[in-house]
Amino acid sequence: EEIQRETAYPDGKVEKVLKNGCHLIFFPNGTRKKVGSDGKTVTITFFNGDVKQIMPDQTVIYYYADAKTTHTTYSDGLEVLQFSNGQIEKHYPDGKKEITFPDQTIKNLFTDGQEESIFPDGTIVRVQR
């Protein structure tokens, strides 16, 4: 990628503007920020290995390097957490939660306190509050 302009700031930050329109910003602590040529796609790579991506539709994808966990927040409020062991949690805007465990058991937690577990063999267990 060819550099069109490079600016060093007094605080130690360095900004590079590429010919394709991307902006790369390097912070003294090792954090890097890339703003795509569309001006809407942003990727921040933190010094600790975490990565935050902001997509044009305002979806935010945050990867926690130490925990090897991805947390995606969609513009409609849905949050999805993907853990390194294969567990996936969906947190809906209305408060409902759906957890899919590594063995493919699904647990639904409802806002009224009810729980429902669906096991891989098709067994369904419902717990009233």
Side-chain angles (χ1 to χ4, degrees), residues 90-99 106-118 124-129:
K90 294 180 182 177
H91 298 208
Y92 293 90
D94 65 2
K96 178 187 169 213
K97 293 181 182 171
E98 177 185 290
I99 303 164
I106 298 169
K107 181 175 236 175
N108 291 300
L109 304 170
F110 299 95
T111 54
D112 63 3
Q114 291 186 68
E115 293 181 16
E116 174 186 76
S117 296
I118 305 167
I124 299 174
V125 175
R126 289 190 177 94
V127 178
Q128 306 294 327
R129 94 183 161 104

Side-chain angles (χ1 to χ4, degrees), residues 48-110:
N48 64 356
D50 287 5
V51 179
K52 179 180 183 179
Q53 292 178 283
I54 303 167
M55 309 309 278
D57 67 357
Q58 293 307 299
T59 296
V60 177
I61 304 165
Y62 196 105
Y63 176 73
Y64 297 90
D66 282 349
K68 296 181 177 66
T69 299
T70 302
H71 182 179
T72 305
T73 304
Y74 296 91
S75 55
D76 65 2
L78 172 66
E79 295 185 46
V80 179
L81 292 104
Q82 297 171 280
F83 299 92
S84 60
N85 68 355
Q87 179 172 314
I88 298 171
E89 293 186 14
K90 294 180 182 177
H91 298 208
Y92 293 90
D94 65 2
K96 178 187 169 213
K97 293 181 182 171
E98 177 185 290
I99 303 164
T100 303
F101 294 96
D103 70 356
Q104 298 310 300
T105 295
I106 298 169
K107 181 175 236 175
N108 291 300
L109 304 170
F110 299 95

Side-chain angles (χ1 to χ4, degrees), residues 22-35:
C22 287
H23 288 245
L24 302 174
I25 303 162
F26 299 87
F27 296 88
N29 69 356
T31 295
R32 298 185 320 269
K33 180 177 183 178
K34 177 181 179 183
V35 180

